[in-house]
């Protein structure tokens, strides 16, 4: 099976993962996922595998196979896995779970290599572009930086007490971090490097982005430069696009009929894919703010989406 240059996948409460032809909107592969719902999807940097975060396991599927079976299962979480991602070379995977832990996994070996205790259900984890710090957000409103070199928590922040942090995003150059919460607020910090390797947070902006929950926030990728955007997906059925320069509202993406759970930029930031409880995923043009493709096929809420339309990392 020839590898598509664009890999687009969605997962739904209907217990399936679907792969789509991005341009035509055709679903060309469906994986049944009977054990649980899938909370998060992430594609490996080399485009070979997709990780599905479920309850309580993470399963790795081969993108270029028709096999319904996972190639690997990662099983030491004890509750819903809400976050999953990969180090830039694809050597290891990180995850965060409602069991209160952040874990690191070597993809070539079964079992978890490291575990960090957040003491509250973890909703979101991102890897700093320096590849040496993980940042997690939890249900109690804590943001923690996990220094992978020192193997410890190097920083703790609580932007709003007892308000769950739903989503975190870091600018590709490590200059900004944004945290979105259950009250529709985004907190923005400038990330400063002190004399130590530790990252310091300098408050930059507080943005009241939505009246409802923000379920996902995402900063635009490197190849979107010089434009810098923040996308916020909400329970109010919209996605808003903010200009990072001043955090002014650029566009509101209107079309979904229910909660918008997830969003992902194309590699050049020209398009955005979104996933919604209305069962659809949509492809939006960032220049017009219009939806140009609707991906229909799931029978229940579509809660996560993953896209890899960039080049694979060149072998070192």
């Amino acid at each position: 099976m020839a590898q598509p240059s664009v890999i687009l996948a969605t997962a739904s409460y209907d217990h399936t993962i679907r792969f789509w032809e991005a341009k035509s909107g055709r679903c060309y592969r469906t994986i049944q996922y009977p054990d649980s719902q899938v909370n998060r999807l992430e594609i490996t940097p080399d485009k070979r595998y997709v990780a599905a975060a479920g309850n309580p396991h993470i399963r790795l599927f081969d993108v270029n196979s028709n096999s319904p079976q996972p190639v690997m299962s990662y099983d030491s979480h004890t509750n819903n896995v809400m976050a999953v991602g990969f180090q830039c070379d694809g050597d290891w995977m990180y995850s965060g779970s409602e069991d209160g832990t952040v874990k690191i996994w070597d993809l070539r070996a079964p079992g978890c290599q490291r575990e960090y205790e957040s003491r509250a259900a973890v909703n979101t984890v991102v890897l700093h572009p320096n590849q040496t710090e993980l940042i997690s957000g939890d249900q109690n409103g804590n943001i923690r930086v996990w220094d992978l070199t020192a193997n410890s928590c190097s920083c703790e922040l609580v932007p709003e007490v007892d308000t769950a942090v739903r989503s975190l995003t870091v600018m590709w150059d490590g200059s900004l971090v944004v945290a979105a919460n259950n009250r529709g607020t985004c907190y923005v910090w400038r990330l400063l490097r002190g004399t130590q390797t530790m990252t310091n947070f300098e408050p930059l902006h507080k943005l009241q982005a939505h009246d409802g929950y923000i379920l996902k926030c995402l900063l635009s990728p490197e190849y979107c430069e010089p434009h810098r955007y923040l996308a916020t997906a909400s329970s109010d059925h919209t996605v808003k696009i903010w200009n990072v320069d001043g955090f002014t509202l650029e566009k509101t993406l209107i079309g979904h009929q229910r909660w918008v759970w997830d969003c992902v930029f194309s590699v050049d930031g020209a398009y955005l894919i979104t996933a919604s409880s209305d069962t659809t995923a949509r492809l939006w043009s960032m220049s017009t703010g219009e939806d140009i493709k609707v991906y229909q096929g799931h029978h229940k809420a579509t809660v996560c989406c993953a896209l890899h339309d960039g080049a694979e990392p060149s072998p070192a």
Side-chain angles (χ1 to χ4, degrees):
M1 181 171 159
Q3 173 156 314
S5 61
V6 177
I7 295 154
L8 169 59
T10 58
S12 162
Y13 284 161
D14 66 11
H15 294 275
T16 67
I17 300 166
R18 288 178 177 263
F19 291 85
W20 307 85
E21 288 175 358
K23 283 183 178 163
S24 72
R26 185 179 78 89
C27 174
Y28 64 87
R29 182 184 175 195
T30 302
I31 298 172
Q32 301 296 324
Y33 200 95
D35 298 347
S36 76
Q37 83 262 20
V38 175
N39 303 306
R40 185 68 57 208
L41 287 173
E42 194 71 41
I43 299 161
T44 55
D46 63 7
K47 294 187 181 178
R48 288 181 60 195
Y49 302 104
V50 61
N55 184 2
H57 38 253
I58 304 161
R59 302 264 163 82
L60 205 62
F61 292 92
D62 190 333
V63 165
N64 301 310
S65 150
N66 281 321
S67 167
Q69 299 306 316
V71 292
M72 187 78 96
S73 187
Y74 303 89
D75 294 323
S76 72
H77 280 299
T78 58
N79 206 329
N80 260 319
V81 183
M82 302 302 289
V84 66
F86 297 96
Q87 178 257 359
C88 64
D89 297 324
D91 292 342
W92 48 268
M93 176 174 74
Y94 59 88
S95 60
S97 165
E98 289 182 345
D99 65 15
T101 66
V102 173
K103 291 180 189 263
I104 289 179
W105 316 77
D106 185 326
L107 287 181
R108 297 155 299 193
C112 154
Q113 267 57 49
R114 293 195 200 176
E115 181 176 306
Y116 301 106
E117 194 61 59
S118 186
R119 303 191 294 280
V122 175
N123 293 326
T124 176
V125 184
V126 288
L127 178 61
H128 190 288
N130 64 20
Q131 308 294 305
T132 63
E133 291 170 306
L134 287 171
I135 309 172
S136 66
D138 70 28
Q139 197 63 19
N140 290 357
N142 302 297
I143 296 169
R144 291 192 173 88
V145 180
W146 307 95
D147 181 332
L148 305 183
T149 312
N151 210 21
S152 64
C153 178
S154 60
C155 179
E156 288 192 35
L157 288 171
V158 185
E160 217 169 311
V161 177
D162 291 336
T163 304
V165 176
R166 290 303 290 250
S167 183
L168 288 164
T169 180
V170 183
M171 187 58 86
W172 64 268
D173 61 0
S175 60
L176 292 179
V177 64
V178 181
N181 72 18
N182 266 357
R183 293 187 178 163
T185 310
C186 284
Y187 288 87
V188 186
W189 294 270
R190 207 178 260 120
L191 289 185
L192 304 173
R193 286 249 156 230
T195 46
Q196 307 84 19
T197 53
M198 194 182 90
T199 294
N200 294 304
F201 288 68
E202 180 188 271
L204 181 65
H205 196 76
K206 181 182 174 183
L207 174 68
Q208 191 55 48
H210 297 266
D211 291 333
Y213 302 138
I214 300 175
L215 303 167
K216 177 71 178 265
C217 64
L218 189 62
L219 287 160
S220 55
E222 177 179 0
Y223 298 111
C224 188
E225 296 287 326
H227 302 294
R228 293 190 162 199
Y229 299 116
L230 171 70
T232 55
S234 171
S235 61
D236 68 10
H237 309 179
T238 72
V239 178
K240 291 183 179 177
I241 307 296
W242 308 85
N243 191 324
V244 169
D245 183 22
F247 290 93
T248 51
L249 181 63
E250 286 269 322
K251 289 185 175 67
T252 303
L253 309 185
I254 297 171
H256 280 301
Q257 304 300 307
R258 294 197 176 171
W259 290 23
V260 186
W261 285 96
D262 200 5
C263 61
V264 59
F265 281 103
S266 62
V267 70
D268 59 1
Y271 301 97
L272 190 76
I273 303 265
T274 56
S276 167
S277 293
D278 66 13
T279 75
T280 71
R282 287 172 191 251
L283 172 68
W284 306 82
S285 161
M286 288 288 287
S287 60
T288 67
E290 302 292 320
D291 58 342
I292 47 183
K293 190 60 66 181
V294 180
Y295 305 99
Q296 286 178 303
H298 285 298
H299 307 300
K300 291 185 178 175
T302 303
V303 291
C304 53
C305 52
L307 175 71
H308 191 336
D309 61 331
E312 302 83 48
S314 51

